[in-house]
Amino acid sequence: MNLSKRDSKHIWHPLTQHKTAAPPIGIVKAKGALFWDEDGKEYIDAIASWYTCMYGHGHPEIIKAVQQQMEQLDFVMFSGFTHKPAVQLSEKLMEILPANQQKIFFNDNGSTAVEAAIKMSLQYHHNKADKRDTLIAFEDGFHGDTFGAMSASGISSYNGPFEDFLLNVKRIPTPQEDTIDEVLEQLEAILSENKCAAFIFEPLVQGAAGMKFHSAKGLDRLIKKCQENDVLCIADEIMTGFGKTGRNFASDFLECKPDIMCLSKALTAGMFPLSITSCTQRIFDGFLSEEPSKGFFHAHTYSAHPLGCAAAIAGIDLLGSLAMQQHKKRIELAHEEFADRLKENSKVKNIRTKGLILAFELTKEMERYGTSRSALYDHFMKQGVCLRPLGNTIYVLPPFVITDDQLQKIYNSIEHTLAKL
Ligand SMILES: *Cc1c(COP(=O)(O)O)cnc(C)c1O
């Protein structure tokens, strides 16, 4: 029996309706921007495996770093102990994060980074005897699948059955260039009617919503307004972090820096699950007290796993390397050229690019996980291109190391698919 058949006996897959889903494809090998299935078919990883493996699969520098770390120290608890990979990673992050970020809290995945950020914000106010019970978030945001993160998320296809059990969240639309004043007014109304603890957002690009962009200037004004009211601003950079928007972080496009940042996905270049919740000195200081209970009593067993930290350190070195900077420019240019080509096509709209992200909508409407969306996905996969349309949004977010040929093959496959629609 092949992997795919053996899988169906005991495995329950994420984001899957097993009654109707096609069997999963057994993957046996990956390198650079490619992976191969058990029948030897080759696929281009056009979304860098959910935007994690940004330096390509199996990058030799990442492998070397993890191998060396494995032989030295596999794991030790992170309460009462520390280790070199964690310390070194905190120092590396200080070099690239916005200057107001001063403390690094370790978690093990994106949702738990968000969960820690929300709990930090709630307790920050609680420690000051200022009880605040409301969060502010964008419509259609996505922040993860644990309860706090799910509460902040506004995509109902994920949250439906749990809606009665979520935290208190007020939503505002994302600011577009021509709606900034309107959104600001909505925010002001929420701030005056509620006790708001934090504002959580995906800065500049909402990934799961379908790579939706918004105005940096508008976000700046929202952050400023929140900070004037001591509402902590949480930038969820789990998707946008590590070069995807053209700068290291989407927050680098902002003048008002977030109080808290969440990082994961490309943090470890796809090698290991690890995440970070960083914050300002002021937030950290809000937990200092003679009373133990004012500390942040939140932990995951695998916090700051040395192998994840080693992968992250090697990843940040790659991010800053001349080679990756050149790759980035090359991909940005190719995306722009293709976007121009697409503008001629009447079957698409809202063509947009930012850094390594290229996205557009089909003029044809589609359900997020409906059959026509599945047919689209299957069509790309048949052509050896792994793209995962979000409803009728098609987006490309390739690893930096993708070759020009591979990139053109993705674009051609998109055009070929459009021609068939
Ligand atoms: C993927 C993602 C998350 C959740 O991360 P997981 O590791 O899947 O829990 C949270 N926020 C954003 C913006 C994401 O893209």
Side-chain angles (χ1 to χ4, degrees):
M1 272 204 290
N2 67 9
L3 284 177
S4 177
K5 289 226 172 65
R6 282 163 62 198
D7 172 287
S8 69
K9 288 208 147 174
H10 301 295
I11 296 182
W12 189 343
H13 281 264
L15 278 182
T16 301
Q17 173 45 269
H18 277 284
K19 183 148 178 101
T20 50
I25 299 167
I27 298 299
V28 292
K29 184 180 157 73
K31 194 78 191 165
L34 299 173
F35 55 75
W36 290 269
D37 74 12
E38 56 189 323
D39 299 325
K41 184 172 165 68
E42 181 181 285
Y43 300 87
I44 301 175
D45 192 353
I47 61 164
S49 288
W50 270 339
Y51 14 101
T52 55
C53 320
M54 293 306 294
Y55 318 105
H57 290 275
H59 194 291
E61 293 297 321
I62 310 268
I63 291 177
K64 193 173 85 188
V66 173
Q67 246 166 8
Q68 283 175 353
Q69 184 53 48
M70 214 185 283
E71 284 164 14
Q72 189 63 34
L73 167 68
D74 53 354
F75 179 68
V76 66
M77 294 153 286
F78 206 58
S79 267
F81 297 102
T82 192
H83 47 72
K84 193 166 150 197
V87 173
Q88 234 178 351
L89 176 55
S90 72
E91 293 164 352
K92 282 258 172 230
L93 284 165
M94 286 304 124
E95 291 169 18
I96 59 169
L97 282 171
N100 71 340
Q101 299 298 301
Q102 286 298 316
K103 294 286 172 182
I104 302 293
F105 189 87
F106 290 93
N107 320 280
D108 50 14
N109 66 65
S111 303
T112 54
V114 169
E115 211 67 32
I118 291 173
K119 286 177 69 177
M120 242 178 226
S121 314
L122 294 172
Q123 192 180 340
Y124 170 82
H125 296 293
H126 182 269
N127 280 358
K128 295 198 298 179
D130 176 9
K131 188 167 180 289
R132 299 192 181 200
D133 57 7
T134 303
L135 304 175
I136 306 165
F138 279 142
E139 288 166 3
D140 293 333
F142 178 73
H143 300 287
D145 285 340
T146 52
F147 269 85
M150 194 167 50
S151 304
S153 300
I155 301 179
S156 59
S157 50
Y158 300 135
N159 290 358
F162 314 107
E163 236 133 54
D164 291 345
F165 308 96
L166 302 179
L167 302 176
N168 215 355
V169 178
K170 298 286 177 205
R171 285 183 207 290
I172 50 176
T174 54
Q176 303 303 321
E177 290 304 326
D178 54 350
T179 63
I180 296 175
D181 290 334
E182 244 167 82
V183 179
L184 202 63
E185 272 170 36
Q186 291 188 41
L187 174 66
E188 281 166 353
I190 291 170
L191 289 173
S192 69
E193 287 160 18
N194 301 275
K195 291 190 167 164
C196 299
F199 168 36
I200 180 165
F201 52 87
E202 293 165 88
L204 304 203
V205 186
Q206 292 182 298
M211 297 293 154
K212 285 194 189 153
F213 295 178
H214 57 262
S215 151
K217 201 170 78 193
L219 181 55
D220 255 325
R221 290 188 50 199
L222 299 175
I223 293 175
K224 186 154 182 279
K225 179 55 67 184
C226 283
Q227 289 179 337
E228 284 166 7
N229 290 274
D230 203 19
V231 172
L232 302 182
C233 292
I234 305 171
D236 176 351
E237 294 238 19
I238 293 165
M239 193 289 284
T240 49
F242 303 98
K244 291 168 203 131
T245 60
R247 301 205 188 158
N248 285 344
F249 300 100
S251 295
D252 295 339
F253 290 91
L254 300 172
E255 274 167 31
C256 296
K257 302 302 180 194
D259 302 287
I260 299 179
M261 290 174 71
C262 302
L263 311 174
S264 188
K265 292 206 165 106
L267 169 69
T268 53
M271 186 59 91
F272 206 89
L274 181 81
S275 70
I276 277 165
T277 309
S278 69
C279 71
T280 60
Q281 189 67 43
R282 184 170 66 95
I283 294 176
F284 179 79
D285 289 347
F287 289 74
L288 299 178
S289 168
E290 299 299 324
E291 283 174 57
S293 66
K294 289 205 166 169
F296 192 43
F297 278 79
H298 176 101
H300 297 290
T301 306
Y302 281 118
S303 294
H305 198 292
L307 301 188
C309 293
I313 294 164
I316 293 172
D317 284 342
L318 283 171
L319 179 69
S321 70
L322 184 62
M324 295 303 156
Q325 296 305 314
Q326 286 169 342
H327 283 313
K328 192 168 73 188
K329 280 203 195 108
R330 178 175 60 83
I331 296 167
E332 279 175 347
L333 275 176
H335 274 356
E336 280 161 26
E337 271 176 30
F338 180 57
D340 282 342
R341 226 158 85 198
L342 272 184
K343 280 175 188 149
E344 316 282 302
N345 195 313
S346 62
K347 290 176 183 166
V348 307
K349 59 181 182 184
N350 304 335
I351 304 149
R352 55 201 181 270
T353 67
K354 189 167 197 61
L356 268 64
I357 305 167
L358 173 134
F360 60 88
E361 271 80 50
L362 302 174
T363 45
K364 185 178 164 183
E365 291 300 320
M366 282 182 189
E367 271 180 58
R368 194 171 176 92
Y369 293 108
T371 46
S372 46
R373 181 266 173 201
S374 298
L376 201 58
Y377 171 76
D378 293 343
H379 196 253
F380 287 125
M381 289 298 280
K382 259 195 208 108
Q383 297 175 67
V385 175
C386 179
L387 284 169
R388 284 181 62 93
L390 292 157
N392 69 339
T393 304
I394 295 176
Y395 74 96
V396 185
L397 209 179
F400 290 109
V401 298
I402 192 163
T403 65
D404 287 335
D405 279 356
Q406 291 163 345
L407 208 46
Q408 290 308 323
K409 200 172 162 207
I410 297 171
Y411 300 152
N412 292 343
S413 153
I414 289 174
E415 284 180 323
H416 183 261
T417 304
L418 289 173
K420 295 228 157 178
L421 279 177

